[in-house]
Amino acid sequence: MAAAGCLPWAVRASTTVRWLHIEQNSVVAAFYEAAARAFEAATPGVKVHPQFLENESFKRKLTTLLQSRDRPHVLYSWGGGALREQVRAGVIEDLTASLDQGGWRQQYSPISLLPYTVNGRIYGVPMLTSLVGFFYSKPLFAKAGVTAEAIRTWDDLLAAVRKLQSAGITPMVAGGADKWTLMFYWAFLALRLGGRAALELAMQGKTVDGFAGPSFVRAGELFRQLTDMRPFQPGFLAASYPQSAGQFGDGRGAMILMLDQLRTAMQSNAANKVGVPDADLGWFPFPTVPGGKGHADDTMGGMNGWLVTKGAPREAVAFLRFFLSPAWQRQAGESGWFIPVTPEARAALNKPLLQRMAEAVGRSPYHQLFLDQLLGPSAGAVLNDVAADLASQRLTPKAAADRVQDALRQTL
Amino acid sequence: MRAAYAPLWRNQAGWLLLVPAMLFFTLFVVLPMGEAAWYSLHRWNGFGDLTDFVGLRNFERLLAGADFRTAMLNNGLVIAVSLAVQLPLALLLALLLADATRANQAYRLLFFLPFVLADVAAGLIWRFLLDGDQGLPTLMGQPAPQWLADPVSARVCLLGVVVWKYFGFHMVLLIAALQSIDGSLYEAARMDAASRWRVFRRITLPQLAPTLRLCVFFSVLGALQLFDLVMPITQGGPSNSTHTLVSFLYQHGATRMDVGFGSAAGVLLFLLCLGFALGWQRWDRRRA
């Protein structure tokens, strides 16, 4: 009798959806896990198996992984250049038809789908908008007599650095072993100086000097102005991003230029597992550069989401539709784990800091995607290299800009 | 005529016995090397077919790049330190510990331990020990020096760990060689009242020469292939200043989806190793 009772379950073919993510915060990972279990409960016979790889390992393993038979079915992505190469290689599923079914596509603004669009087809679905800006510790700023609201231009920022230094406080924390954390400075300065036009034209190889042009050389010069003041914590070149998030949380420096997800990384890596408490944590946008062609409200960050790999079971797409539904995404917004892409879920944000950031994104006339992801794995890595070289004073601004342009030319 | 055929037949049997070994060697060594050489002539991101033939451009890019030259220099440094520091240290310890007393055996075991440890595990331990926030430098007072964040001191740290990791191996080789030296040679020298230095110069060192040459050979090839200590300790950083050829080709080839470029580095490394091995063998044979 017992065997007969089990039979329907045993007979039903079971499908497993392998879901690869990079979330290292245990609370958010538990949220993923809960979504997987809920989907399993709603669709009998389907198992969802979340798998975790740390950010850097993920990026390194991906090319090999995607060509293996055991590749994950649902995959974290930054869109942009890396996705273009994956699509060209034929390992990513075209989701255009799925998005057109049941009004799924209408949840997203056309801009948010842009990083996932290759040759007019959509290959991924965005989940979160990330935004780069300065987080700061209010007590440390107060101790040095620095007011964040007064930091509007690059010179204001340099002045704040000087003030913090004379108060005996390390002005900035960076995780320079993960070079992209330093790239944010150079890329954001380039955006402020050259604006959207300079970046887009350089990306497409439509200008003569591209990334070796004046805005980009100037970006390197301004970055060197900062790095010559040695604003970072000792040993920043050997610190990884997670380490640096913890160091900022431990009060080792007054500010950090990072994505909005810093909060969760800081909580995981700070000595006391809290870091700078919400009440003491401030945020201000990247300063402007007088005379720059960029709009003061332009933002930089990502539009991260999920891809489905070729040959994945149909249930993979169904799961994505389920997990990205407003019901689940609202939860993420309410808990302040990230800034959801869909307006409905974004409205659920209730932490003032995240609301401010979401407003900044909403106001932004142009959201520049992470330049290293946009440039693709090869030229993007060179960009990150030169940012670290500028920070460690190994490279001149001109040489840095030239190297990025050379690398891009190799891939065009 | 018959006599000439017999060895040929015997050779055929020999060839037959070689087949399994040759098969594996071809499959897992020759073919991949050939493949890498073929990749190195293409621009290829690791996906799909090779379509973009670029000739020797990957090699041009490689040799023009400052980071690759730094990696070559670092390999040179590892070789230099292996020969100038590690080997003399191993020899000294071998001389001190050659007699099989109980204490000596304990010391031998102790000095050999680093070699037994897995490279990556040892690397991770040193990464932790050298860390300026929580490792040994914090004992030197605050602010603690950040050895791994500075290109020069990071290199020194890496070289130190290499010496620490492998000197025991050379020491054991040399102890074995010392123990096989004919005791009567020393007896004769003692009768002639030769000084200790003279005994070392005229008996020990010449008798050790074949083993020393072997040590040099291992040191150089090991140095050229150094990878698994670099990755956990510095990952080639800060700012690509501590890469070796292999970590360079891994990070700049494999992880940047620039497989053609990485393969070019691999081919150069292969030629370097092959050139050294053949040259060394030739020189060795001529001496003998």
Side-chain angles (χ1 to χ4, degrees):
Chain A
M1 283 302 277
C6 290
L7 214 58
W9 292 102
V11 166
R12 180 170 287 144
S14 141
T15 311
T16 301
V17 175
R18 289 191 296 269
W19 175 24
L20 186 63
H21 67 82
I22 63 162
E23 185 53 60
Q24 55 162 317
N25 185 292
S26 56
V27 181
V28 185
F31 164 66
Y32 285 9
E33 198 72 45
R37 295 295 89 79
F39 182 74
E40 284 171 357
T43 36
V46 179
K47 289 246 167 291
V48 178
H49 180 43
Q51 297 165 310
F52 163 76
L53 268 182
E54 190 273 328
N55 186 345
E56 297 295 316
S57 323
F58 176 87
K59 289 175 186 163
R60 279 189 195 149
K61 220 173 156 181
L62 204 55
T63 310
T64 322
L65 198 62
L66 280 174
Q67 297 181 87
S68 111
R69 256 199 316 207
D70 295 326
R71 63 186 166 212
H73 301 127
V74 178
L75 191 72
Y76 194 70
S77 178
W78 288 257
L83 174 66
R84 264 200 313 277
E85 300 205 16
Q86 291 155 3
V87 167
R88 211 178 297 153
V91 290
I92 305 296
E93 197 71 63
D94 182 346
L95 297 178
T96 318
S98 304
L99 271 157
D100 284 335
Q101 262 169 35
W104 195 9
R105 190 178 188 149
Q106 274 68 54
Q107 292 178 27
Y108 302 95
S109 66
I111 287 179
S112 65
L113 290 173
L114 214 54
Y116 295 92
T117 308
V118 180
N119 303 328
R121 312 291 296 174
I122 302 168
Y123 290 89
V125 191
M127 177 174 76
L128 59 92
T129 309
S130 55
L131 181 70
V132 176
F134 280 102
F135 284 87
Y136 68 96
S137 148
K138 288 178 184 170
L140 289 179
F141 264 36
K143 209 171 132 194
V146 175
T147 40
E149 291 71 25
I151 305 178
R152 299 197 177 276
T153 66
W154 184 249
D155 287 334
D156 294 339
L157 182 72
L158 298 183
V161 165
R162 224 166 280 132
K163 228 166 170 181
L164 284 158
Q165 278 176 331
S166 54
I169 297 166
T170 302
M172 289 168 166
V173 175
D178 294 337
K179 297 164 186 156
W180 51 266
T181 61
L182 297 165
M183 178 275 294
F184 287 165
Y185 286 91
W186 191 86
F188 225 139
L189 281 166
L191 177 64
R192 290 284 187 250
L193 285 158
R196 173 185 191 163
L199 280 160
E200 283 186 345
L201 291 175
M203 274 300 305
Q204 293 155 5
K206 282 196 180 141
T207 48
V208 187
D209 37 12
F211 280 99
S215 301
F216 301 99
V217 176
R218 184 75 189 134
E221 285 166 4
L222 293 182
F223 185 34
R224 276 294 296 263
Q225 277 184 4
L226 175 71
T227 59
D228 286 349
M229 296 167 75
R230 302 187 175 272
F232 299 112
Q233 86 276 23
F236 75 98
L237 283 173
S240 66
Y241 159 57
Q243 268 178 313
S244 70
Q247 287 171 336
F248 174 74
D250 295 342
R252 298 273 302 276
M255 54 183 139
I256 182 168
L257 181 65
M258 196 25 75
L259 295 170
D260 52 279
Q261 291 106 317
L262 172 85
R263 272 180 71 250
T264 51
M266 173 178 78
Q267 286 158 3
S268 309
N269 292 287
N272 62 3
K273 298 292 162 206
V274 177
V276 181
D278 278 347
D280 290 344
L281 192 62
W283 185 85
F284 61 93
F286 196 86
T288 58
V289 178
K293 295 195 192 84
H295 194 286
D297 285 336
D298 283 347
T299 50
M300 195 176 82
M303 200 72 83
N304 294 53
W306 305 98
L307 314 176
V308 173
T309 54
K310 264 272 156 56
R314 267 205 324 256
E315 287 81 358
V317 180
F319 169 68
L320 212 50
R321 197 187 279 264
F322 173 86
F323 178 55
L324 295 178
S325 67
W328 282 94
Q329 293 302 304
R330 235 188 339 259
Q331 260 195 55
E334 274 163 16
S335 314
W337 293 321
F338 51 78
I339 304 173
V341 165
T342 52
E344 200 184 337
R346 195 180 288 178
L349 287 172
N350 53 25
K351 297 225 171 2
L353 205 67
L354 283 166
Q355 283 171 336
R356 265 199 73 194
M357 289 185 231
E359 276 164 28
V361 174
R363 229 187 5 251
S364 160
Y366 177 62
H367 189 62
Q368 171 65 52
L369 280 190
F370 297 122
L371 214 47
D372 58 338
Q373 292 295 329
L374 212 55
L375 282 168
S378 178
V382 172
L383 171 69
N384 292 340
D385 277 350
V386 304
D389 286 348
L390 283 168
S392 58
Q393 287 127 337
R394 289 180 83 210
L395 214 57
T396 64
K398 176 83 180 90
D402 285 345
R403 274 185 59 186
V404 176
Q405 178 59 13
D406 278 350
L408 182 65
R409 207 176 290 136
Q410 301 283 349
T411 63
L412 279 176
Chain B
M1 287 301 273
R2 263 178 173 275
Y5 275 101
L8 191 67
W9 181 85
R10 250 182 265 136
N11 272 351
Q12 278 174 342
W15 284 112
L16 205 68
L17 290 174
L18 267 179
V19 165
M22 287 305 277
L23 207 69
F24 274 99
F25 187 73
T26 311
L27 210 60
F28 294 112
V29 180
V30 180
L31 282 182
M33 280 189 316
E35 258 189 327
W38 184 235
Y39 294 160
S40 73
L41 303 175
H42 292 80
R43 194 172 79 171
W44 188 43
N45 64 8
F47 285 122
D49 297 326
L50 298 167
T51 48
D52 197 355
F53 185 84
V54 294
L56 294 176
R57 213 176 69 195
N58 284 325
F59 291 90
E60 276 169 41
R61 271 175 68 201
L62 200 60
L63 296 172
D67 289 338
F68 182 72
R69 288 199 300 267
T70 308
M72 296 260 278
L73 175 79
N74 287 337
N75 275 111
L77 278 175
V78 177
I79 293 176
V81 168
S82 299
L83 299 184
V85 179
Q86 181 175 275
L87 205 52
L89 178 71
L91 179 60
L92 180 73
L93 289 171
L95 290 171
L96 291 174
L97 304 177
D99 297 328
T101 66
R102 202 167 274 258
N104 281 356
Q105 267 163 350
Y107 276 119
R108 277 186 219 166
L109 186 71
L110 195 67
F111 292 143
F112 191 63
L113 268 181
F115 181 73
V116 178
L117 228 58
D119 286 9
V120 174
L124 286 172
I125 293 169
W126 278 105
R127 168 84 178 89
F128 185 78
L129 284 175
L130 295 167
D131 189 291
D133 290 327
Q134 52 210 359
L136 293 175
T138 52
L139 301 177
M140 301 171 64
Q142 294 294 336
Q146 297 280 346
W147 290 329
L148 294 180
D150 173 75
V152 176
S153 58
R155 247 178 233 145
V156 174
C157 287
L158 209 55
L159 292 170
V161 175
V162 169
V163 170
W164 168 86
K165 185 78 177 60
Y166 300 111
F167 81 94
F169 171 70
H170 297 285
M171 179 194 76
V172 167
L173 284 184
L174 290 168
I175 287 177
L178 279 172
Q179 287 173 340
S180 66
I181 296 177
D182 190 350
S184 60
L185 291 171
Y186 289 114
E187 213 179 303
R190 227 186 350 264
M191 283 177 175
D192 291 340
S195 70
R196 284 178 68 158
W197 172 244
R198 237 181 127 76
V199 170
F200 175 72
R201 273 293 308 277
R202 300 286 169 184
I203 299 174
T204 312
L205 213 50
Q207 293 285 321
L208 282 182
T211 309
L212 280 171
R213 283 202 292 276
L214 190 69
C215 286
V216 172
F217 185 75
F218 280 144
S219 293
V220 174
L221 281 191
L224 283 173
Q225 296 169 3
L226 186 65
F227 172 73
D228 7 20
L229 284 176
V230 180
M231 291 312 286
I233 299 179
T234 65
Q235 293 193 40
S239 279
N240 291 325
S241 59
T242 59
H243 272 303
T244 58
L245 288 175
V246 186
S247 73
F248 177 90
L249 88 82
Y250 171 69
Q251 284 221 324
H252 290 245
T255 73
R256 295 185 177 190
M257 292 169 71
D258 203 351
V259 181
F261 182 69
S263 299
V267 168
L268 275 188
L269 174 66
F270 170 70
L271 291 179
L272 270 177
C273 289
L274 188 73
F276 169 75
L278 290 181
W280 182 260
Q281 218 175 25
R282 206 153 171 207
W283 179 74
D284 212 25
R285 210 175 290 148
R286 212 181 303 151
R287 280 182 60 95

